[in-house]
């Protein structure tokens, strides 16, 4: 009897000890954890961070993991659906510098205080940038012929796209735009076949299918060398290398092509740009004057000449982009790749101080904003 | 014979009683808050406007300790005549707490939709992250592991070509 009482007592003591140990482990585990934060709170915290801090952080998967102990819904990325950050000075992506072995890196240029500085996203890739929109980049993926990837360099979210129609790079053009009605980002692939007919296919981000579109009409396009511009709900192309009397505009919601007349003929150094929500046509008149025309919408609107630049401009200044906050325009001289900024308020053009060894043709630049946009 | 009317030194009307709302925390503690202060919370504001705030309002997600501080925050921010500088200094002191409590404030502000407290909390956390390396962030928030080695390998493997 005494013996059984003794062994029962030992068992009980062992059970109590095991329970105490388990509770201690649980408490230690809880101390290592921090309370769970809802995803939109994490969003708010990340929005308070300057982009430099974000770039130094590990992949979004780890941002989420660092801030909360609960594993994310998708361990590969943390997507934030928010309005994008409006940067005072729009960064411009440069074409990746090609290094052996055929790896490139994605960088951006930031304009501030009359200077232009190159900054690095520390992202390597295997292809050129084809288009940009709201902080998203469309990159070639040379691992797979014709392959494309959509990337947000700030959140590091990336998504390989399914293969579309394969064609040589000089016979195709990619556009990247938002359909405001559906809230979906779309990639538009315009290309020319061997018989010189132009075709178009479109892919909505989040789907895995390229859809063929009706049009464009034969004869509407002559070449695809100018990248399309997204403004006022349309993607716009200048369809000829010189003497374009019209642009071709595709509405992102209806996916229909329209021909839109230009106030003057578009020459080789002229361009269309998106500036502060409007479509602008920047055209050289004679050797030392640049006129800026604006179109606020396609139906019921006409081109209005908003201003002329008469001082400090040259015939070979190619407009690159419009800055979102100020509406100032960045130009590049074809002759020596030097950069200039037209200040709307001051009504003058000033040369931008650029770091050495940064001389890229205008085709190498894409307008870009750092954002948290996801799809 | 009727008594003469009593003469009073002043005839100012008595102050209107302030309308109070009662909140109950997850652990059963109750707190009273002036209606004007409760309007800082969009959740409570909606209930007040829909006449649902006359009885006790349960706040199941928030403990008594945290709710007490949230009530204090709302009351301070509803006070009249406080200049911005003093309020800023008060806010700074309010969020000078450990990160666990700070996260509690953020969750409470999110649940009760108090934009001022939510912004303050999130900015404070962002300031704690700003300029730090991932290891320093883990130390600040006392995180021992950010993700399992398997998860890290999976992410690295899928994106090896893309990221350095």
């Amino acid at each position: 009897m005494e013996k059984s009482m003794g062994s029962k007592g030992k068992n009980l003591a062992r059970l109590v000890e095991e329970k105490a140990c388990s509770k201690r482990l649980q408490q230690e585990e809880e101390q290592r954890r921090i309370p769970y934060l809802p995803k939109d709170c994490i969003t708010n915290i990340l929005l308070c961070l300057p982009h430099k801090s974000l770039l130094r952080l590990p992949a979004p998967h780890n941002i989420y993991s660092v801030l909360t102990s609960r594993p994310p819904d998708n361990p590969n990325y943390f997507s934030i659906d928010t309005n994008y950050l409006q940067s005072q000075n729009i960064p411009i992506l440069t074409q990746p510098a090609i290094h052996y072995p055929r790896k490139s890196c994605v960088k951006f240029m930031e304009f501030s205080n009359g200077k232009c500085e190159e900054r690095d996203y520390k992202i390597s890739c295997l292809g050129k940038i084809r288009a940009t929109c709201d902080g998203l980049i469309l990159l070639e993926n040379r691992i797979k012929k014709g392959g494309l990837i959509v990337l947000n360099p700030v959140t590091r979210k990336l998504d390989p796209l399914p293969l579309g129609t394969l064609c040589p790079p000089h016979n195709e053009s990619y556009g990247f735009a938002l359909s405001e009605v559906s809230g979906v980002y779309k990639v538009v692939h315009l290309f020319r076949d061997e018989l010189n007919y132009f075709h178009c296919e479109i892919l909505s981000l989040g789907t895995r299918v390229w859809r063929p579109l009706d049009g464009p009409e034969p004869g509407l396009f002559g070449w695809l060398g100018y990248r399309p511009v997204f403004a006022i709900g349309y993607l716009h192309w200048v369809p000829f290398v010189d003497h374009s009397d019209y642009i071709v505009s595709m509405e992102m919601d209806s996916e229909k092509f329209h021909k839109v007349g230009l106030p003057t003929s578009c020459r080789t150094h002229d361009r269309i740009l998106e500036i502060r929500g409007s479509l602008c046509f920047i055209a050289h008149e004679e050797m030392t004057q640049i006129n800026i025309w604006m179109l606020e919408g396609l139906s019921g609107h006409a081109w209005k000449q908003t201003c002329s630049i008469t001082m400090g401009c040259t015939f070979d200044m190619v407009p690159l982009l419009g800055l979102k906050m100020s509406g100032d325009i960045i130009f590049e001289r074809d002759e020596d790749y030097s950069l200039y900024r037209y200040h709307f308020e001051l009504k003058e053009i000033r040369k931008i101080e650029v770091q050495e060894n940064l001389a890229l043709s205008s085709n190498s630049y894409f307008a870009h904003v750092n954002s948290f946009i996801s799809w | 014979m009727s008594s003469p009317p009593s003469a009073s030194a002043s005839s100012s009307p008595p102050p209107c009683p302030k309308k109070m709302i009662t909140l109950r925390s997850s652990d059963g503690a109750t707190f009273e808050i002036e209606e004007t202060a409760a309007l800082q919370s969009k959740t409570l504001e909606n209930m007040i406007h829909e006449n649902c705030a006359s009885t006790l309002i349960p706040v199941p997600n928030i403990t008594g300790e945290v709710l007490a501080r949230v009530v204090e925050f709302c009351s301070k921010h509803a006070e009249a005549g406080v200049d911005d500088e003093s309020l800023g200094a008060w806010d700074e002191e309010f969020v000078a707490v450990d990160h666990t409590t700070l996260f509690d404030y953020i969750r409470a502000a999110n649940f009760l939709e108090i934009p001022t407290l939510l912004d303050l909390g999130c900015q404070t956390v962002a300031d704690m992250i700003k300029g730090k390396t991932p290891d320093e962030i883990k130390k600040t928030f006392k995180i021992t592991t950010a993700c399992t080695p398997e998860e890290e390998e999976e992410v690295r493997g899928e994106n090896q070509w893309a990221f350095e």
Side-chain angles (χ1 to χ4, degrees):
Chain A
M1 175 90 166
E2 281 175 8
K3 208 175 176 179
S4 70
M5 287 284 284
S7 70
K8 266 190 190 168
K10 277 184 191 167
N11 284 340
L12 187 63
R14 196 175 66 244
L15 275 171
V16 166
E17 199 183 315
E18 278 172 10
K19 200 163 181 182
C21 185
S22 157
K23 191 169 181 186
R24 200 171 46 246
L25 285 173
Q26 194 185 346
Q27 279 172 350
E28 279 170 15
E29 180 61 34
E30 274 172 22
Q31 272 169 13
R32 272 203 298 275
R33 292 171 178 268
I34 52 173
Y36 168 66
L37 272 184
K39 210 168 169 183
D40 47 356
C41 293
I42 307 261
T43 302
N44 290 335
I45 292 167
L46 292 178
L47 281 173
C48 295
L49 285 170
H51 79 264
K52 280 182 194 169
S53 290
L54 282 171
L55 291 176
R56 276 202 287 269
L57 285 175
H61 161 78
N62 289 337
I63 294 173
Y64 192 98
S65 298
V66 164
L67 288 178
T68 175
S69 59
R70 191 182 288 189
D73 296 328
N74 186 324
N76 286 335
Y77 51 75
F78 171 46
S79 60
I80 310 172
D81 298 319
T82 67
N83 296 317
Y84 54 78
L85 294 170
Q86 286 280 358
S87 154
Q88 269 297 323
N89 299 287
I90 292 188
I92 297 186
L93 285 172
T94 56
Q95 278 294 5
I98 306 290
H99 300 293
Y100 291 100
R102 298 166 62 92
K103 204 161 74 161
S104 310
C105 44
V106 182
K107 301 186 179 195
F108 70 95
M109 289 162 66
E110 199 166 46
F111 295 91
S112 59
N113 304 322
K115 288 186 194 172
C116 174
E117 286 179 67
E118 190 182 78
R119 302 207 192 284
D120 204 337
Y121 278 123
K122 292 194 172 41
I123 295 175
S124 58
C125 57
L126 293 165
K128 289 188 176 183
I129 299 166
R130 298 309 301 264
T132 58
C133 183
D134 290 350
L136 303 181
I137 308 174
L138 190 68
L139 270 173
E140 277 178 347
N141 176 13
R142 285 188 188 156
I143 286 177
K144 204 186 270 186
K145 190 179 173 188
L148 290 170
I149 285 163
V150 172
L151 163 72
N152 184 325
V154 172
T155 65
R156 308 291 227 239
K157 178 177 173 180
L158 62 90
D159 195 10
L161 299 185
L163 282 180
T165 305
L166 298 180
C167 44
H170 60 273
N171 274 341
E172 63 180 357
S173 164
Y174 281 99
F176 201 175
L178 173 69
S179 164
E180 272 156 22
V181 167
S182 59
V184 168
Y185 284 92
K186 296 181 180 177
V187 179
V188 177
H189 183 206
L190 194 57
F191 57 94
R192 171 165 44 192
D193 64 20
E194 303 85 9
L195 301 173
N196 277 336
Y197 286 110
F198 286 83
H199 306 271
C200 187
E201 58 188 4
I202 195 166
L203 180 136
S204 301
L205 288 194
T207 67
R208 308 298 299 167
V209 176
W210 285 94
R211 294 176 283 114
L213 294 191
D214 266 337
E217 284 172 20
L220 211 53
F221 279 92
W223 93 312
L224 296 172
Y226 293 131
R227 283 198 301 272
V229 167
F230 177 50
I232 52 173
Y234 291 74
L235 264 179
H236 309 272
W237 285 264
V238 173
F240 297 101
V241 63
D242 198 1
H243 296 291
S244 283
D245 296 322
Y246 61 87
I247 54 175
V248 180
S249 303
M250 180 192 175
E251 197 186 357
M252 292 315 298
D253 300 323
S254 65
E255 299 175 356
K256 299 267 182 262
F257 286 96
H258 304 268
K259 187 172 160 181
V260 179
L262 286 170
T264 62
S265 190
C266 184
R267 307 298 307 276
T268 50
H269 292 117
D270 302 336
R271 292 290 186 272
I272 49 171
L273 293 180
E274 185 270 330
I275 299 177
R276 284 176 141 179
S278 298
L279 178 67
C280 289
F281 173 48
I282 294 120
H284 293 260
E285 184 179 310
E286 295 155 22
M287 297 288 275
T288 54
Q289 181 168 318
I290 296 176
N291 295 328
I292 300 171
W293 300 80
M294 188 185 287
L295 190 67
E296 287 169 2
L298 250 57
S299 44
H301 291 87
W303 290 99
K304 289 181 211 163
Q305 186 171 336
T306 54
C307 65
S308 291
I309 309 171
T310 51
M311 301 273 289
C313 55
T314 58
F315 74 97
D316 66 338
M317 276 183 168
V318 177
L320 286 187
L321 79 151
L323 297 183
K324 275 200 184 324
M325 301 300 281
S326 59
D328 294 350
I329 304 175
I330 306 291
F331 289 89
E332 185 188 60
R333 278 201 69 185
D334 226 5
E335 180 190 60
D336 57 4
Y337 302 142
S338 51
L339 295 174
Y340 293 80
R341 178 170 174 166
Y342 175 66
H343 296 261
F344 260 107
E345 282 196 9
L346 304 172
K347 303 252 178 290
E348 63 179 35
I349 281 194
R350 287 184 187 171
K351 192 167 179 178
I352 296 171
E353 206 182 300
V354 181
Q355 65 191 75
E356 288 175 30
N357 302 325
L358 204 63
L360 300 163
S361 75
S362 57
N363 278 339
S364 304
Y365 293 103
F366 293 77
H368 175 71
V369 283
N370 285 323
S371 80
F372 291 128
I373 295 287
S374 178
W375 60 95
Chain B
M1 199 163 158
S2 60
S3 53
S6 57
S8 53
S10 67
S11 56
S12 56
C16 292
K18 290 177 186 166
K19 196 159 178 204
M20 305 297 282
I21 310 276
T22 310
L23 307 174
R24 188 177 66 204
S25 65
S26 58
D27 46 3
T30 55
F31 301 90
E32 285 205 324
I33 179 173
E34 286 180 29
E35 191 180 276
T36 45
L39 292 175
Q40 304 263 325
S41 155
K42 290 199 168 67
T43 310
L44 297 178
E45 187 187 359
N46 290 338
M47 294 179 81
I48 291 165
H49 288 150
E50 287 167 20
N51 291 319
C52 304
S54 50
T55 53
L56 191 74
I57 300 175
V59 188
N61 291 21
I62 307 172
T63 62
E65 196 182 330
V66 174
L67 190 57
R69 295 286 282 155
V70 170
V71 165
E72 195 185 334
F73 179 90
C74 292
S75 304
K76 182 69 184 177
H77 276 250
E79 256 177 46
V82 180
D83 62 285
D84 287 347
E85 208 176 311
S86 318
L87 194 60
W90 191 91
D91 281 351
E92 226 176 279
E93 219 179 289
F94 184 83
V95 290
V97 293
D98 60 272
H99 63 268
T100 310
T101 311
L102 190 56
F103 278 48
D104 285 338
Y105 290 167
I106 293 173
R107 283 205 335 274
N110 187 52
F111 179 73
L112 288 172
E113 291 183 86
I114 308 171
T116 40
L117 180 56
L118 186 62
D119 288 347
L120 177 66
C122 291
Q123 185 63 59
T124 308
V125 175
D127 291 341
M128 289 163 82
I129 293 174
K130 220 183 284 187
K132 288 195 167 69
T133 62
D135 284 336
E136 285 166 349
I137 293 168
K138 287 179 204 176
K139 251 186 226 161
T140 305
F141 294 99
K142 295 187 180 57
I143 300 292
T144 50
T145 54
C147 54
T148 66
E150 290 77 26
E151 284 172 330
E152 205 158 325
E153 194 50 49
E154 192 188 336
V155 173
R156 202 193 305 280
E158 282 189 14
N159 305 316
Q160 189 66 48
W161 66 269
F163 299 114
E164 302 207 65

